[in-house]
Amino acid sequence: MNTSLSIMLKNAPRLLNITSSSKYFLRRGIITETLPSASSASAKSSERTHTCNELSSALVGQQVALCGWMQRKATPQFLAFHDGYGRTQLVIPENNAGLLKKLESIQDSSVVMVKGLVCNSQAHQVGLNNGSAGLEIAVSDVSIIDDDALHHKYSDDNNTDEESPTTQNPHAPISFPGVNVYTERTHTCGELRGSDAGTEVVLCGWLQFLRMNKFVTIRDSYGVTQILIPEELADEAQLLVKAPLESIIRVKGVVATRPPAEVSPKMSTGEIEVILKEVDILNEAKCKLPLQVREFQKANEYLRLKHRYLDLRSPSMQKSLRMRSKLLMRMREFLVAEREFVEVETPTLFGRTPGGAREFVVPTHNAGEFFSLVQSPQQLKQMLMAGAVDRYFQVARCYRDESTRPDRQPEFTQLDVELSFTDRESVLALAEDVLQFAWPESFAPLVTPFPRITYRQAIDLYGSDKPDTSFENFIQDFTDLNDGGQSESRSKSRALVINNGAKNYTTSIRNKYDAFARTTYPDVRFLAIKVTPEWQATLKKALPSCSNLDALQARLNFSVGDLLFVSIGDIDRASMLLGKLRLEFAEPNLQRSFDFLWVVDFPMFEAGENGKLCSVHHPFTQPHPQDLHLLETDPLKVRSLSYDLVLNGCEIGGGSIRVHNCALQKYILKNLLGEGTERLQHLLDALESGCPPHGGLALGIDRLMSILTGSESIRDVIAFPKGFDYKDHLSGAPCDISAEDRKYYHLPQVTDHRNVAEH
Amino acid sequence: MNTSLSIMLKNAPRLLNITSSSKYFLRRGIITETLPSASSASAKSSERTHTCNELSSALVGQQVALCGWMQRKATPQFLAFHDGYGRTQLVIPENNAGLLKKLESIQDSSVVMVKGLVCNSQAHQVGLNNGSAGLEIAVSDVSIIDDDALHHKYSDDNNTDEESPTTQNPHAPISFPGVNVYTERTHTCGELRGSDAGTEVVLCGWLQFLRMNKFVTIRDSYGVTQILIPEELADEAQLLVKAPLESIIRVKGVVATRPPAEVSPKMSTGEIEVILKEVDILNEAKCKLPLQVREFQKANEYLRLKHRYLDLRSPSMQKSLRMRSKLLMRMREFLVAEREFVEVETPTLFGRTPGGAREFVVPTHNAGEFFSLVQSPQQLKQMLMAGAVDRYFQVARCYRDESTRPDRQPEFTQLDVELSFTDRESVLALAEDVLQFAWPESFAPLVTPFPRITYRQAIDLYGSDKPDTSFENFIQDFTDLNDGGQSESRSKSRALVINNGAKNYTTSIRNKYDAFARTTYPDVRFLAIKVTPEWQATLKKALPSCSNLDALQARLNFSVGDLLFVSIGDIDRASMLLGKLRLEFAEPNLQRSFDFLWVVDFPMFEAGENGKLCSVHHPFTQPHPQDLHLLETDPLKVRSLSYDLVLNGCEIGGGSIRVHNCALQKYILKNLLGEGTERLQHLLDALESGCPPHGGLALGIDRLMSILTGSESIRDVIAFPKGFDYKDHLSGAPCDISAEDRKYYHLPQVTDHRNVAEH
């Protein structure tokens, strides 16, 4: 199995002559360069008096020396500090300008020796997640310790907690029958248990940690295992001892149970260690990596994206990617094996879709001829329906050039499903069934059917078409009490009560929301009223048209101390303004579950600029059968057969029953939307060629995964995302292309930029 | 379930007033416009005297009248003719210019009435696949029959053969448990059997055929079912009788077994028919579709691509797409469930890959900044390996702008697999296991391991690096007999014997191959020698340096009547010339099986222009461990750890063990290939960050599927392919974009074309 490698190793000396950059070309038994002196570093680090976890109030007033990493906070005077054992807070005396300057020059990732006095924290800072809460170190000196050496000695012990992204229970035996096939290893680093004692094993992975020149931990995607270097191999193991952390090693050894005192309940392999027999350094890492592989204290996102191959080693990324793969596989299993759907790959290089998001264009060798990258397979899946592929799905890559919206990705993934001879009820059931089947086993099972509200209800009650229903607090109407007669008007009086909200509504907060309302909803009258014992007088002044204030209080049920928001204007806009405030003033729900919700009965159209109609969903959406008669006379009142799926207040999917009748589709496009049909002729042709009634939906996999994993950004559930600036920091794309490519694709030469790129 | 539809139907009358284009808007019970008179057409078609299958030699000399379709042949005088029952040949008398002219004006798809005299064919034309072999019709008159009506009456009966793409055995009961969930139907059109008699069913599908105003066949992707219109429903069923074929219908009825004489063994549902109770026309097709949905006599490819939604209804397309979905699903099942691989979606908008195929560029809003569409996930999967995703796969969309190569597609699909801590043997085994597991059940099981030859053997024996091993006939060497002393030279004498090939090697064929050899291999001496009884004299003259002709004959084992090809020159090029001829003169193997073959030990490099080294595979390929010592001294002799998978002489996959050592990778890129490493810095960084040894491969799904389905082109296994001209005939893409988009993406305005697009 390892012939190629060992032969490469044998032949390596010749190669070493070729290039000066081959200093660390291959390690084993060949290179004897000493590393930057480990002993001098040890000398320094041996000055350490305590680890962070040893700090206690008994030490207040004592001088201590700590080794670890600093992390800056908002003020230069305070720094977080941690080592492999715990955390504390550093305080830099304000008058020590030299020390402050020195600190500025130290990278966060450098390992430092900090000397100072243990103090009690000031009372208001207790509980700031310091680890050693209540204590801080008044720093008298900081010095950088030789990174290279310390990299070995003070690596992050906590890593052993974060070992196994695929196991839920560290004590359960792991049995992935196929996981070692086709590899040199006999077991993964997360697999060995006490019952394996006596077995000879080969493990491959990353050198994670070294302790006392005797214990090594080796890590792979499945866990970590402790290797014990026996006395008689101390010499041979020197290359292991000297190899930088994160080097790739292969160890052969025999499994032994640990002495009872050393069994680690935190590690899935904590019952055993492997007594080393043979070691190979398969690929040496360089000594100082740009970021460290660990879960807490993540590097900033730019570094994480630029060195994504390092970030991917973190347990959270491993877990996300594996959960994502599993979720998609389960979705496929359901659709294919349980429901006879056919996965069809549709093209991404296609014609431009009229309307909708901005589509990337792809120039061709022929001047003036461009493909567009599809924003979804919408047209193509409808043509599959006309083409008798009556149960289609695809895990589809979609493209939108929304470079102005930072939490989007230019390419994203949706589970795209469409079927014939169906109706709305069936498609909703299908989506619920897919999610229920594919739902991660580690979560509570999904309860279906999901609750359902209409668009009208969502706006009226929550002021949002994707309401967060994990908490109540509805928006209420008091138009009848304020402006009773004109019930036919769209102008409504709306209110939202924030219980006990008055005390936190400071002047600066008030100014902020007043400005927001003024800027974003200038057409809506907005009031924020603190309910005081004198609320009657306040309201009388603020709402002179409201004659019956007692009735108002009874309706809205506010009490003294509450905060009352009022908005008066167009029903939708007045409600949406309150909907935003509703979210802003929500109590944080830390134990939140997964709240799914269907929003149905969206309007077909909304009024765009100059009163032109625009599609709310897309122009291929079937009107609601009960409203067909309004198409001609009052299209803005027509509801559609579209639906959105909302999870915890985030839209994660949507779809509709489509128009299958060619004449109706033409009428909607031409007569109602005023759009040309030339670029959709193929779709119209398909509709009149014998096209079944059909409908479907798409689930946004990135968003769904980010909610399932509790990630802050969809970038955390994508292996190689673009950054918030829409750039790929790994490859440096987008970047310039060659003059030859420009010529081939009829793109302006660089010198022409001024002429062409003039905005 | 059907509320939305029926309500839409009820509300339809209002809509009908809105638009003049709504003539065929909705049909049921609303529109009473008469179709072009069916009775007049019936009158005409009732003049038919025979169907094609009734023609026999007993009719020779009689006048007949046939109804059906014509299909032109190479000469205007002969036409193929068929109706729903069989085929015959039409002969147009040469002196009848009026008739010839009339024929020219008739479309192949029109239904015509042909009158003429039954004749015996001329002897040499018997057996030309006429159906009524031995007979032809000497035509006296042709007239177009009202298409609209005849569309009903003479649709292609043979369609009933082509019903069920998913069934192997028409008599086996079909049970797809999930296939009707979420739909209005109770059963598919391929599902009912005699045991279902008495069941009330709802079927949805395409109106396929109507016979005697009494029998209707309804088709969906799963089969066809015969519907019987009972007397008492004759009135209501008028709308069915009048609906154009391919309209979408829904029928409710009761299953009944057919009378024994009417049981059709050709249909999977041939035991039953459904007695109609209710019918709805869900969506009417237009009367004359641009191409007909049937398997034989396919329309030309342009029409098939332009109206792909019609072509997709053909059984062969249905079968291909469903087989493709199943194959990919089985591959995923194997990799995920059996071997613990993780599917990771990698970006397609990425940086440019140095070298390799031409990559599409995607302009961004920032002038001078372009993404490239990835030609494969190569760099990304290597970075996944560095990122501890140690068992990766992806069904990956790849892009190459090879618009000059007509049988390629600008976007294509590969199964991309990579894993860590592996070696060549393991990757080959993995590929074999995946294929064996996913192999269609209807084929003979795949035998593994696949045979394996080296690149050297492939060139020497077959003259090709993707040899077709389904037949033998090796290329042979006789350098020692011809030019014995210089065995170290690369110049070799090679020979290929075509048994009994002499007689067919006419002067025109000889000229063709001489020209080919002269043009493509000008540096190789090429001889084609017919082996006559005087072969000694011929060879003496042709190969004066070959002293021992008897030994030559004994070596090559040729006999009188054979054809002997000789090529003398560089060993690779001389062999490849003969390799081309070997394929040209292969006996067609009609009963061919699936011949897999691994080709291994490719050279790392080949000499490019100016003697510069080029990668044969790609620059990330690991050199063969046995040849590492030659990297410095003789890189052209270094073999690599790459491998190609060949199926029936077609390369369907390939891969390699990759370079995992940063210094070696830099040496190959900079010192050997002379390439800059700036654009690969992220990969080099990844290699020195702790990157496991790794390797993998990619299988070309489109090519594999086209071989599995016996398709002529990969376009037949892709739902919406680009045409041979790289254009999308469905949407008309690529096409021009708006001035606004040009400005946004800094592309030259149309008027600037002359300035920018000047080549």
Side-chain angles (χ1 to χ4, degrees), chain A residues 122-372:
Chain A
Q122 291 178 30
H124 72 272
Q125 296 199 325
V126 172
L128 284 184
N129 196 21
N130 287 344
S132 56
L135 298 178
E136 57 191 23
I137 310 295
V139 181
S140 55
D141 190 29
V142 174
S143 54
I144 302 181
I145 300 183
D146 183 331
D147 271 328
D148 205 22
L150 260 173
H151 212 236
H152 295 237
K153 304 300 162 194
Y154 299 103
S155 171
D156 200 339
D157 204 0
N158 284 9
N159 266 351
T160 50
D161 286 340
E162 311 161 356
E163 42 157 18
S164 178
T166 51
T167 47
Q168 301 303 326
N169 172 1
H171 300 290
I174 310 180
S175 159
F176 297 141
V179 79
N180 301 309
V181 184
Y182 316 126
T183 72
E184 311 182 69
R185 68 185 174 222
T186 58
H187 296 76
T188 69
C189 297
E191 188 175 353
L192 295 170
R193 297 288 179 275
S195 55
D196 295 306
T199 312
E200 182 163 294
V201 298
V202 176
L203 303 180
C204 298
W206 282 258
L207 175 58
Q208 156 134 331
F209 183 65
L210 176 75
R211 187 157 55 94
M212 297 158 57
N213 286 2
K214 192 176 165 194
F215 296 106
V216 172
T217 49
I218 178 173
R219 185 195 74 232
D220 64 12
S221 327
Y222 311 92
V224 296
T225 299
Q226 175 165 288
I227 311 296
L228 174 71
I229 304 173
E231 287 288 328
E232 64 271 24
L233 276 187
D235 283 350
E236 173 155 358
Q238 275 304 301
L239 67 115
L240 195 55
V241 172
K242 285 179 180 164
L245 293 189
E246 295 298 310
S247 291
I248 304 295
I249 61 174
R250 177 179 54 207
V251 296
K252 191 188 272 188
V254 176
V255 181
T257 51
R258 297 192 195 184
E262 291 184 29
V263 167
S264 164
K266 289 199 301 188
M267 291 172 74
S268 61
T269 61
E271 299 166 11
I272 59 97
E273 57 197 1
V274 172
I275 316 295
L276 186 68
K277 290 182 69 177
E278 247 182 84
V279 59
D280 285 278
I281 311 291
L282 299 180
N283 200 9
E284 189 167 290
K286 65 179 180 182
C287 285
K288 192 159 173 1
L289 294 174
L291 57 97
Q292 292 188 40
V293 178
R294 58 177 175 226
E295 194 57 20
F296 69 91
Q297 197 201 347
K298 282 240 183 198
N300 70 46
E301 193 174 37
Y302 170 77
L303 275 180
R304 288 180 55 203
L305 292 178
K306 182 167 171 60
H307 304 284
R308 193 64 163 179
Y309 40 88
L310 291 174
D311 193 46
L312 287 175
R313 292 179 201 163
S314 73
S316 63
M317 283 304 307
Q318 288 283 327
K319 188 176 168 187
S320 291
L321 293 182
R322 285 163 196 275
M323 189 196 269
R324 182 179 179 127
S325 171
K326 200 162 269 181
L327 183 91
L328 287 173
M329 187 66 196
R330 290 282 289 170
M331 287 176 163
R332 283 190 164 97
E333 275 172 21
F334 179 77
L335 290 167
V336 173
E338 304 283 323
R339 291 295 184 265
E340 294 290 337
F341 280 74
V342 176
E343 184 161 24
V344 179
E345 300 149 74
T346 58
T348 56
L349 293 168
F350 197 61
R352 174 124 179 67
T353 309
R358 184 180 290 281
E359 292 174 341
F360 286 104
V361 298
V362 181
T364 68
H365 182 44
N366 296 321
E369 294 189 0
F370 298 83
F371 285 111
S372 292

Side-chain angles (χ1 to χ4, degrees), chain B residues 260-317:
Chain B
E262 290 184 31
V263 167
S264 165
K266 287 200 303 188
M267 290 172 75
S268 60
T269 62
E271 297 165 14
I272 59 96
E273 57 197 2
V274 172
I275 316 296
L276 186 67
K277 290 181 71 175
E278 247 183 83
V279 61
D280 285 279
I281 311 291
L282 299 181
N283 200 9
E284 190 166 289
K286 66 178 180 182
C287 286
K288 194 158 172 358
L289 295 174
L291 57 95
Q292 293 187 40
V293 178
R294 59 179 176 225
E295 194 58 19
F296 68 93
Q297 197 200 344
K298 282 236 182 197
N300 71 46
E301 192 174 38
Y302 171 76
L303 276 180
R304 289 179 55 204
L305 292 178
K306 184 168 170 59
H307 305 283
R308 193 62 164 182
Y309 42 88
L310 292 174
D311 193 45
L312 287 176
R313 295 179 200 163
S314 72
S316 63
M317 282 305 306

Side-chain angles (χ1 to χ4, degrees), chain A residues 1 7-8 11 14 18 25 176 178-179 181-185 204 206 221-222 246 248 282-283 286 309 312-313 318 324-325 328 332 334 338-339 343-351 358 361 363 368-370 386-388 390-391 397 399 401 411 413 421-423 426 430 433 622 625 628-629 660-661 663-664 667 679 682 685 687-691 719 722 726-728 730-731 733-736 740-741 743-748 757 759, chain B residues 1 7-8 11 14 18 25 178-179 181-185 204 206 221-222 246 248 282-283 286 309 312-313 318 324-325 328 332 334 338-339 343-352 358 361 363 368-371 386-388 390-391 397 399 401 411 413 421-423 426 430 433 622 625 628-629 660-661 663-664 667 679 682 685 687-691 719 722 727-728 730-731 733-736 740-741 743-748 757 759:
Chain A
M1 185 73 89
I7 290 171
M8 172 150 181
N11 285 293
R14 270 178 196 268
I18 327 175
F25 192 93
F176 297 141
V179 79
V181 184
Y182 316 126
T183 72
E184 311 182 69
R185 68 185 174 222
C204 298
W206 282 258
S221 327
Y222 311 92
E246 295 298 310
I248 304 295
L282 299 180
N283 200 9
K286 65 179 180 182
Y309 40 88
L312 287 175
R313 292 179 201 163
Q318 288 283 327
R324 182 179 179 127
S325 171
L328 287 173
R332 283 190 164 97
F334 179 77
E338 304 283 323
R339 291 295 184 265
E343 184 161 24
V344 179
E345 300 149 74
T346 58
T348 56
L349 293 168
F350 197 61
R358 184 180 290 281
V361 298
E369 294 189 0
F370 298 83
D390 63 336
R391 300 169 84 80
R397 193 70 61 93
Y399 300 84
D401 188 1
E411 51 187 315
T413 302
F421 307 116
T422 193
D423 60 11
S426 298
L430 162 60
D433 291 351
Q622 176 79 13
L628 266 180
H629 62 286
H660 61 267
N661 181 285
L664 177 59
Y667 183 77
R679 292 223 162 146
H682 49 285
D685 287 346
L687 294 186
E688 66 177 353
S689 76
C691 178
K722 307 293 181 287
Y726 253 47
K727 293 188 195 300
D728 179 77
L730 186 65
S731 72
C735 57
D736 210 350
E740 186 235 353
D741 276 347
K743 195 172 176 193
Y744 188 85
Y745 288 118
H746 311 283
L747 301 170
H759 70 121
Chain B
M1 186 72 91
I7 290 173
M8 171 147 183
N11 284 294
R14 272 178 197 267
I18 330 175
F25 191 93
V179 79
V181 184
Y182 316 125
T183 73
E184 312 184 68
R185 68 184 173 224
C204 297
W206 283 257
S221 326
Y222 311 92
E246 296 298 311
I248 303 296
L282 299 181
N283 200 9
K286 66 178 180 182
Y309 42 88
L312 287 176
R313 295 179 200 163
Q318 288 281 328
R324 182 179 177 125
S325 171
L328 286 174
R332 283 191 165 96
F334 178 77
E338 304 283 323
R339 292 292 184 268
E343 184 161 23
V344 179
E345 301 150 74
T346 58
T348 57
L349 293 168
F350 197 62
R352 174 124 178 67
R358 183 180 290 281
V361 297
E369 293 189 1
F370 299 83
F371 285 111
D390 63 336
R391 300 169 85 79
R397 193 71 59 93
Y399 300 84
D401 188 1
E411 51 187 315
T413 303
F421 307 114
T422 192
D423 60 11
S426 297
L430 162 60
D433 291 350
Q622 175 79 11
L628 266 180
H629 62 286
H660 61 268
N661 182 287
L664 177 59
Y667 183 78
R679 292 224 162 146
H682 49 286
D685 286 347
L687 294 187
E688 65 177 354
S689 75
C691 178
K722 306 294 181 287
K727 291 188 194 301
D728 178 75
L730 187 65
S731 71
C735 58
D736 210 350
E740 185 234 352
D741 276 347
K743 196 171 176 194
Y744 189 85
Y745 289 118
H746 311 283
L747 302 170
H759 69 121

Side-chain angles (χ1 to χ4, degrees), chain B residues 387-536:
Chain B
V389 182
D390 63 336
R391 300 169 85 79
Y392 146 90
F393 82 102
Q394 182 180 195
V395 177
R397 193 71 59 93
C398 303
Y399 300 84
R400 286 182 202 175
D401 188 1
E402 301 176 317
S403 43
T404 47
R405 305 175 76 164
D407 202 39
R408 304 287 177 103
Q409 285 284 310
E411 51 187 315
F412 56 96
T413 303
Q414 65 187 34
L415 176 72
D416 197 50
V417 189
E418 193 86 8
L419 71 166
S420 294
F421 307 114
T422 192
D423 60 11
R424 186 173 72 179
E425 287 304 315
S426 297
V427 179
L428 301 194
L430 162 60
E432 289 165 353
D433 291 350
V434 169
L435 284 164
Q436 192 175 49
F437 186 93
W439 201 241
E441 284 171 16
S442 56
F443 296 169
L446 216 50
V447 177
T448 60
F450 301 149
R452 200 184 294 191
I453 62 176
T454 64
Y455 172 83
R456 191 68 262 147
Q457 291 169 320
I459 297 291
D460 287 354
L461 293 174
Y462 301 97
S464 167
D465 61 357
K466 41 178 188 285
D468 188 337
T469 50
S470 65
F471 63 102
E472 294 212 333
N473 199 19
F474 299 133
I475 296 166
Q476 295 178 83
D477 195 278
F478 66 101
T479 309
D480 55 330
L481 297 176
N482 194 31
D483 191 11
Q486 307 169 34
S487 61
E488 277 305 299
S489 154
R490 279 183 64 88
S491 180
K492 301 289 177 193
S493 304
R494 315 279 295 154
L496 177 74
V497 177
I498 309 296
N499 287 334
N500 300 311
K503 65 176 182 298
N504 293 324
Y505 207 69
T506 61
T507 307
S508 69
I509 291 179
R510 177 185 293 276
N511 290 342
K512 177 180 150 195
Y513 288 113
D514 281 352
F516 165 75
R518 207 164 43 237
T519 318
T520 318
Y521 295 92
D523 50 326
V524 174
R525 188 174 165 223
F526 172 64
L527 299 171
I529 297 157
K530 292 181 176 183
V531 182
T532 63
E534 299 78 35
W535 63 268
Q536 291 256 7

Side-chain angles (χ1 to χ4, degrees), chain B residues 624-670:
Chain B
H624 197 294
Q626 293 170 359
D627 298 347
L628 266 180
H629 62 286
L630 296 170
L631 258 192
E632 198 181 355
T633 52
D634 197 354
L636 282 170
K637 281 211 177 136
V638 176
R639 292 163 299 162
S640 72
L641 288 182
S642 73
Y643 29 81
D644 274 359
L645 182 57
V646 176
L647 171 57
N648 294 356
C650 177
E651 182 199 331
I652 61 151
S656 62
I657 301 299
R658 326 297 183 184
V659 177
H660 61 268
N661 182 287
C662 181
L664 177 59
Q665 185 65 76
K666 269 190 199 155
Y667 183 78
I668 290 171
L669 286 168
K670 280 169 126 169

Side-chain angles (χ1 to χ4, degrees), chain A residues 418-539:
Chain A
E418 192 87 7
L419 72 166
S420 295
F421 307 116
T422 193
D423 60 11
R424 187 175 70 179
E425 288 303 315
S426 298
V427 179
L428 302 194
L430 162 60
E432 289 165 353
D433 291 351
V434 169
L435 284 164
Q436 192 174 49
F437 187 93
W439 202 242
E441 284 170 17
S442 55
F443 296 170
L446 217 49
V447 177
T448 60
F450 300 150
R452 200 184 294 192
I453 62 175
T454 65
Y455 171 83
R456 192 67 263 149
Q457 293 169 319
I459 296 292
D460 288 354
L461 293 174
Y462 301 97
S464 166
D465 61 357
K466 40 178 190 283
D468 188 335
T469 50
S470 65
F471 62 103
E472 294 210 332
N473 198 20
F474 299 132
I475 295 165
Q476 296 177 84
D477 195 279
F478 65 101
T479 310
D480 55 329
L481 297 175
N482 194 31
D483 191 10
Q486 309 169 33
S487 62
E488 276 307 297
S489 155
R490 279 184 65 88
S491 181
K492 302 288 178 195
S493 303
R494 316 278 295 153
L496 177 72
V497 178
I498 308 296
N499 287 332
N500 300 312
K503 65 177 182 297
N504 294 324
Y505 206 67
T506 61
T507 306
S508 69
I509 292 179
R510 178 185 292 274
N511 290 342
K512 177 179 150 194
Y513 288 113
D514 281 351
F516 166 73
R518 206 163 45 236
T519 319
T520 317
Y521 296 93
D523 51 325
V524 174
R525 188 172 166 227
F526 171 65
L527 299 170
I529 298 159
K530 291 182 179 183
V531 183
T532 62
E534 299 77 36
W535 62 267
Q536 292 254 9
T538 316
L539 279 183

Side-chain angles (χ1 to χ4, degrees), chain B residues 25-252:
Chain B
F25 191 93
L26 286 165
R27 191 69 179 266
R28 186 177 191 198
I30 296 158
I31 305 180
T32 52
E33 295 97 320
T34 46
L35 283 167
S37 165
S39 59
S40 71
S42 303
K44 267 194 170 176
S45 63
S46 70
E47 292 171 35
R48 169 154 78 171
T49 59
H50 296 82
T51 55
C52 285
N53 62 328
E54 292 168 340
L55 299 177
S56 72
S57 53
L59 293 172
V60 169
Q62 284 195 26
Q63 281 285 343
V64 292
L66 307 174
C67 291
W69 299 268
M70 301 183 299
Q71 188 179 10
R72 278 159 184 77
K73 294 187 174 180
T75 56
Q77 214 193 330
F78 294 95
L79 295 96
F81 181 87
H82 68 103
D83 56 14
Y85 303 87
R87 291 159 179 255
T88 187
Q89 175 166 270
L90 308 183
V91 189
I92 315 300
E94 270 184 46
N95 52 5
N96 195 336
L99 186 58
L100 279 170
K101 204 168 173 72
K102 194 171 179 186
L103 281 168
E104 268 173 32
S105 71
I106 300 176
Q107 301 279 324
D108 273 4
S109 59
S110 297
V111 183
V112 293
M113 167 75 71
V114 169
K115 293 180 183 172
L117 202 68
V118 180
C119 308
N120 281 315
S121 296
Q122 290 179 30
H124 71 272
Q125 297 198 325
V126 173
L128 284 184
N129 194 23
N130 286 346
S132 56
L135 298 177
E136 59 191 20
I137 311 295
V139 180
S140 55
D141 189 29
V142 174
S143 56
I144 302 182
I145 301 181
D146 183 331
D147 271 328
D148 204 23
L150 259 173
H151 212 236
H152 296 235
K153 306 299 163 192
Y154 300 104
S155 173
D156 199 339
D157 205 2
N158 284 11
N159 266 352
T160 49
D161 288 343
E162 311 162 356
E163 41 159 17
S164 178
T166 51
T167 48
Q168 301 302 326
N169 172 2
H171 301 289
I174 309 180
S175 158
F176 297 141
V179 79
N180 301 309
V181 184
Y182 316 125
T183 73
E184 312 184 68
R185 68 184 173 224
T186 59
H187 296 76
T188 69
C189 297
E191 189 174 352
L192 295 170
R193 297 287 181 274
S195 56
D196 294 306
T199 311
E200 183 163 293
V201 297
V202 176
L203 303 181
C204 297
W206 283 257
L207 174 60
Q208 156 134 329
F209 183 64
L210 176 75
R211 187 157 55 93
M212 298 159 58
N213 287 1
K214 195 178 164 192
F215 296 105
V216 172
T217 48
I218 179 173
R219 184 196 74 232
D220 65 11
S221 326
Y222 311 92
V224 296
T225 299
Q226 177 165 286
I227 311 295
L228 175 69
I229 304 173
E231 287 287 327
E232 64 272 24
L233 276 186
D235 284 349
E236 174 155 358
Q238 275 303 302
L239 68 114
L240 196 54
V241 171
K242 285 178 180 164
L245 294 189
E246 296 298 311
S247 291
I248 303 296
I249 60 175
R250 176 180 54 207
V251 296
K252 189 187 274 189

